């Protein structure tokens, strides 16, 4: 088995999509990680939030947070796949030494 790095990922989804489409995109992301021999440790739905700046015509978007364990070399393949779907308007993968304890501070702000 290959060495698994720890990553935290945030995906930002188009605000104009319906809840079933949003759920489907989250499942597709999880399947994409698992297809690339990764593991989702945990996840949070941060909901609809204001963007720091407009992206296209959008000033809000749906945010989802994931804690992953995956071989770092597989991240490029995942990014290429995400770029092909216009509903993923942004994403960020950050390598970490250890995962933070959940729920995150952003999840508390939502309530």
């Amino acid at each position: 088995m290959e060495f698994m790095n720890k990553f935290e990922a945030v995906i930002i989804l188009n605000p104009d999509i319906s809840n079933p489409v949003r759920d489907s995109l989250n499942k597709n992301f999880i399947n994409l990680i698992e297809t690339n021999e990764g593991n989702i440790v945990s996840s949070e739905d941060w909901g609809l939030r204001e963007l720091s700046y407009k992206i296209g015509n959008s000033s809000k978007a749906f945010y989802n947070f994931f804690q992953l364990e995956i071989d770092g070399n597989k991240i490029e393949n995942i990014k290429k796949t995400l770029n092909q779907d216009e509903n993923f308007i942004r994403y960020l993968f950050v390598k970490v030494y250890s995962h933070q304890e959940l729920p995150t501070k952003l999840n508390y702000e939502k309530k």
Side-chain angles (χ1 to χ4, degrees), residues 86-102:
E86 63 188 23
N87 287 316
F88 289 97
I89 57 175
R90 291 285 189 277
Y91 53 81
L92 176 67
F93 291 89
V94 178
K95 186 175 179 181
V96 295
Y97 291 105
S98 64
H99 293 298
Q100 64 179 324
E101 192 174 317
L102 295 181

Side-chain angles (χ1 to χ4, degrees), residues 13 16-28 87:
L13 302 173
D16 299 327
I17 58 176
S18 65
N19 281 338
V21 172
R22 195 170 121 220
D23 293 342
S24 174
L25 289 170
N26 281 322
K27 287 177 188 166
N28 289 348
N87 287 316

Side-chain angles (χ1 to χ4, degrees), residues 10-75:
V10 176
I11 57 172
I12 303 176
L13 302 173
N14 184 338
D16 299 327
I17 58 176
S18 65
N19 281 338
V21 172
R22 195 170 121 220
D23 293 342
S24 174
L25 289 170
N26 281 322
K27 287 177 188 166
N28 289 348
F29 180 77
I30 292 167
N31 288 337
L32 182 60
I33 298 299
E34 292 171 350
T35 300
N36 282 280
E37 301 169 6
N39 178 36
I40 303 284
V41 176
S42 58
S43 65
E44 287 183 350
D45 180 355
W46 289 346
L48 187 65
R49 304 183 66 84
E50 289 284 329
L51 294 169
S52 297
Y53 56 90
K54 270 186 129 176
I55 299 175
N57 292 329
S58 302
S59 59
K60 292 185 176 192
F62 291 106
Y63 283 68
N64 289 291
F65 174 79
F66 296 90
Q67 293 178 331
L68 318 169
E69 289 180 349
I70 191 168
D71 176 17
N73 296 323
K74 307 277 184 168
I75 296 294

